[in-house]
Amino acid sequence: MSVEEKTKDRERRSVSVRNFNISSLLHYLFLFVSVIKTIPSFTIASDDNLKKESDMDVDLQRSLSLRLNRRGDRSNQNLAKDFEEGFFSSGRIPQDYPMKIVWKKGFIRLVLVVGILWMLLILLALLFHIWSCQTSVSFLSAMCNKDSKVYTMLDTMGFVSKPHRCPIPVSNDPDKIVIPTGRTPNDIVKNLSYVMEDEIPHNGAQSSPLFGGHPNWKQREQSFKLNSNMKVHCGFIPGGGAEMDHIDIEYVKNCKFVVASGIFDGYDLPHQPSNISLRSKEVFCFLMVVDEVSLKFMRENGTVKEDGTGGKWVGIWRLVLLKHPPYDEPRRNGKVPKILTHRLFPQAQYSIWIDGKMELIVDPLLILERYLWRGKHTFAIAQHKHHRSIYEEADANKRRKRYARPLIDLHMKIYYYEGMMPWNSNKRTISDVPEGAVIIREHTAINNLFSCLWFNEVHLFTPRDQLSFGYVAYRLGDAFKFFMFPNCEYNSLFVLHPHTREHSSPIEWVKQLSELKNGNLKESRGGLGLFTPYPGDLHSVVLPNVTRTSKAG
């Protein structure tokens, strides 16, 4: 091909390319304009379906106009009637139908937007409620109502974080606290006395008296029926153990305000309280109840000193020796001074119990003012950090091997059979499980009765007193009123110290009831009710399912 022919061929191709590009551009432009024409003026975006609907609207309008011309005034009236039926009607479509679609979609959007804003407003209110209950700003924290059902529901659902420590709204100066004069009147139980003779059964099962006696099921049931004059089992049966020295009996007669603690089986060492005012040192007796094993352990560590009268001291603590431990299980022995404080120290009007592992860091006068006198309470105890239902606590005790698993199950079956339901937000109390390491109380008749009945449950069943507290409160109902304060405040009252060693007893490892046939595993003086035939049918009792809400244990 010649040079001239090649040049003409290039020119011909260039023209065809230009024609193709122009024709393609015109083609796409025509399509774009066509699409734009199909988009209605009242919407942001559309598709082929809207175009078809528009064509159908035009056809319907034409058919309507023809029918109007034919039918006259009567048809006009029918059309007006159809128009009044609104855009929800499935009948004929009026000429302003597109505007009704716009209004309908706008109304739906308006409803959705208002609903979303309302939900956000509720969420912000709930978040503010939670924040105000946990803030350190006193003005905002005063607005919080932790007893409200909303807060309880949020706490149950896990939306409320539980701080380990939180500020305690105590007074600043112990010297300015006004101590109430007189005692809280006894309106329900006016005279409370105690069973002091043990009715030993004649079957030969127990030859010597028990510290808690041998109450039968009928006596137990009768003890929950309130009267103005009551006589109940309450430990300290003569010959059952836990005797005090004469010098200690004389010393505690002068103790009206008591801070009590206890150490058994050498499980802890005394920890000296701090931030104690001179006034509290003069008002309070600091009494540490110990057994002979613990006293020997303290003497070997060189911490015990004796005064001129023979009294034994470790720092501020006056040691009160209990001879002849009443139970085989050291944990059960520790419940004697903890629950029966009013029996050990009968002249005391107020008492604050703390476990032996705790170091008190708040002045006891401030504690009484905060938890009793300010709210006119007579009994205060901390809420458990993890559990609210006794069945949750029982499950945790089995996991941590705190007592024989089958005996814990038997204990819970008796309570469930007797009507003790798992905790829920409709109950009158914020929890059925306390943090029992601190108990603040005035020794009124109803509080003393509660303590006796609480101890009787510990004596009859398992030594896990947290399982029995909620049951006794349930049986006494509104007659027994108590203040259960947040767990974070409990942790701000004390410093927790580790035990001197890992506690363990053979019965804690029992997994089957058949293992208890061995006399070395079964307690000889505790858990009487677990081995006495129960009058009800427990074989059909199925314990409620437990949802483990924490990793405790």
Side-chain angles (χ1 to χ4, degrees):
M1 182 180 294
S2 63
V3 175
E4 188 174 334
E5 290 177 349
K6 291 181 179 180
T7 302
K8 290 180 181 182
D9 184 61
R10 290 194 192 98
E11 292 176 355
R12 192 183 307 109
R13 292 180 179 179
S14 176
V15 171
S16 63
V17 169
R18 285 198 301 272
N19 292 337
F20 174 77
N21 292 337
I22 293 173
S23 62
S24 300
L25 182 60
L26 291 174
H27 176 70
Y28 290 130
L29 183 61
F30 175 75
L31 291 176
F32 178 74
V33 172
S34 300
V35 171
I36 291 299
K37 287 181 178 181
T38 61
I39 299 177
S41 60
F42 59 90
T43 58
I44 297 176
S46 181
D47 53 15
D48 294 341
N49 293 331
L50 289 177
K51 183 175 181 301
K52 293 179 181 179
E53 291 179 1
S54 179
D55 294 340
M56 292 173 63
D57 293 344
V58 174
D59 293 339
L60 287 172
Q61 291 174 4
R62 289 176 181 175
S63 63
L64 285 173
S65 62
L66 291 175
R67 293 179 184 178
L68 285 172
N69 292 333
R70 293 175 183 175
R71 297 182 181 180
D73 295 338
R74 186 176 62 185
S75 299
N76 287 335
Q77 293 176 359
N78 293 335
L79 181 61
K81 183 178 179 180
D82 294 337
F83 174 77
E84 291 175 356
E85 291 178 359
F87 57 86
F88 293 105
S89 174
S90 59
R92 301 179 181 89
I93 303 176
Q95 293 182 358
D96 58 349
Y97 175 72
M99 293 301 298
K100 291 184 178 295
I101 293 180
V102 175
W103 186 87
K104 178 181 178 181
K105 292 185 176 180
F107 177 75
I108 294 175
R109 290 171 183 162
L110 179 63
V111 172
L112 291 176
V113 171
V114 171
I116 293 174
L117 291 177
W118 182 251
M119 292 176 64
L120 289 175
L121 183 63
I122 294 176
L123 180 61
L124 289 175
L126 292 177
L127 291 176
F128 177 78
H129 184 43
I130 295 173
W131 178 74
S132 66
C133 289
Q134 300 187 359
T135 183
S136 59
V137 181
S138 59
F139 173 75
L140 294 174
S141 62
M143 299 170 59
C144 170
N145 181 14
K146 293 186 177 180
D147 295 331
S148 66
K149 290 187 176 181
V150 175
Y151 188 86
T152 302
M153 178 187 67
L154 295 173
D155 192 7
T156 304
M157 297 172 64
F159 290 110
V160 179
S161 61
K162 298 180 179 180
H164 181 67
R165 298 180 183 273
C166 59
I168 307 174
V170 295
S171 301
N172 295 323
D173 189 358
D175 295 331
K176 295 182 179 180
I177 292 178
V178 178
I179 299 176
T181 58
R183 292 176 177 265
T184 300
N186 299 316
D187 297 328
I188 301 176
V189 179
K190 300 183 181 300
N191 183 24
L192 179 65
S193 59
Y194 310 112
V195 175
M196 297 303 295
E197 294 182 2
D198 191 9
E199 298 179 2
I200 301 176
H202 299 286
N203 56 9
Q206 185 73 37
S207 57
S208 60
L210 290 180
F211 175 81
H214 289 81
N216 55 47
W217 295 111
K218 184 178 180 180
Q219 290 174 325
R220 174 178 176 267
E221 184 63 27
Q222 193 67 26
S223 66
F224 292 111
K225 298 178 180 179
L226 299 179
N227 295 295
S228 58
N229 297 301
M230 298 190 66
K231 186 175 184 178
V232 297
H233 285 82
C234 200
F236 291 96
I237 296 293
E243 294 91 0
M244 292 173 59
D245 278 340
H246 178 72
I247 56 173
D248 294 328
I249 294 176
E250 294 298 320
Y251 179 84
V252 301
K253 284 182 178 180
N254 300 318
C255 296
K256 184 179 178 182
F257 294 79
V258 171
V259 176
S261 186
I263 297 176
F264 290 83
D265 202 31
Y267 199 31
D268 297 285
L269 283 173
H271 303 286
Q272 297 304 311
S274 58
N275 303 315
I276 309 299
S277 64
L278 292 177
R279 186 185 183 192
S280 290
K281 290 180 180 179
E282 295 175 355
V283 170
F284 281 87
C285 294
F286 292 81
L287 305 176
M288 176 72 69
V289 183
V290 298
D291 61 358
E292 294 172 312
V293 175
S294 300
L295 179 60
K296 180 181 178 181
F297 179 72
M298 294 176 193
R299 280 176 168 165
E300 290 175 351
N301 285 272
T303 57
V304 179
K305 297 181 179 180
E306 291 191 10
D307 59 19
T309 62
K312 295 169 283 293
W313 298 81
V314 176
I316 198 174
W317 293 106
R318 166 73 180 233
L319 300 184
V320 177
L321 175 64
L322 290 187
K323 300 178 180 179
H324 309 109
Y327 296 104
D328 306 327
E329 168 63 41
R331 292 184 188 274
R332 204 185 293 268
N333 287 324
K335 310 308 176 186
V336 174
K338 174 180 179 177
I339 302 178
L340 299 182
T341 312
H342 68 287
R343 296 296 316 273
L344 271 177
F345 316 123
Q347 278 72 34
Q349 183 177 352
Y350 296 95
S351 67
I352 301 173
W353 166 267
I354 62 174
D355 279 359
K357 61 184 177 182
M358 315 297 290
E359 175 190 342
L360 180 64
I361 59 175
V362 177
D363 189 279
L365 268 179
L366 299 181
I367 294 177
L368 290 181
E369 191 280 331
R370 160 69 179 101
Y371 295 107
L372 295 188
W373 300 333
R374 186 183 305 181
K376 296 182 178 180
H377 304 295
T378 61
F379 194 107
I381 196 167
Q383 179 182 344
H384 195 277
K385 183 177 181 180
H386 300 291
H387 308 131
R388 292 186 174 181
S389 170
I390 64 171
Y391 302 103
E392 292 179 356
E393 177 66 13
D395 179 74
N397 274 272
K398 291 192 295 184
R399 280 184 284 157
R400 293 183 304 223
K401 298 181 178 64
R402 290 297 185 258
Y403 203 66
R405 297 180 184 180
L407 297 183
I408 291 178
D409 285 336
L410 181 57
H411 187 183
M412 292 298 97
K413 282 186 177 183
I414 293 174
Y415 282 179
Y416 194 66
Y417 179 84
E418 295 178 344
M420 182 66 183
M421 293 291 106
W423 183 89
N424 61 71
S425 58
N426 294 325
K427 283 197 171 186
R428 67 180 182 90
T429 58
I430 62 174
S431 175
D432 288 335
V433 184
E435 189 67 66
V438 52
I439 307 173
I440 308 160
R441 55 196 155 186
E442 180 183 359
H443 293 179
T444 63
I446 189 67
N447 288 344
N448 293 344
L449 173 65
F450 174 85
S451 298
C452 291
L453 300 183
W454 187 14
F455 179 81
N456 290 343
E457 297 297 293
V458 172
H459 169 67
L460 288 172
F461 303 119
T462 67
R464 309 309 303 173
D465 56 273
Q466 291 165 308
L467 302 178
S468 306
F469 179 91
Y471 172 80
V472 179
Y474 152 71
R475 292 300 304 268
L476 294 182
D478 294 333
F480 174 65
K481 296 178 175 60
F482 61 97
F483 174 40
M484 184 170 278
F485 54 91
N487 185 271
C488 60
E489 291 188 19
Y490 152 83
N491 283 303
S492 298
L493 294 171
F494 311 96
V495 174
L496 178 63
H497 293 275
H499 296 296
T500 57
R501 56 182 173 80
E502 182 63 27
H503 182 274
S504 180
S505 63
I507 197 170
E508 295 177 354
W509 298 89
V510 173
K511 297 181 180 180
Q512 301 293 333
L513 282 175
S514 58
E515 300 178 41
L516 293 172
K517 293 181 180 179
N518 185 349
N520 295 329
L521 296 180
K522 181 180 176 181
E523 290 188 72
S524 63
R525 292 176 286 180
L528 177 69
L530 297 175
F531 300 98
T532 303
Y534 184 73
D537 181 16
L538 300 178
H539 296 287
S540 60
V541 175
V542 178
L543 292 176
N545 293 327
V546 173
T547 301
R548 295 179 177 177
T549 57
S550 71
K551 297 180 180 179

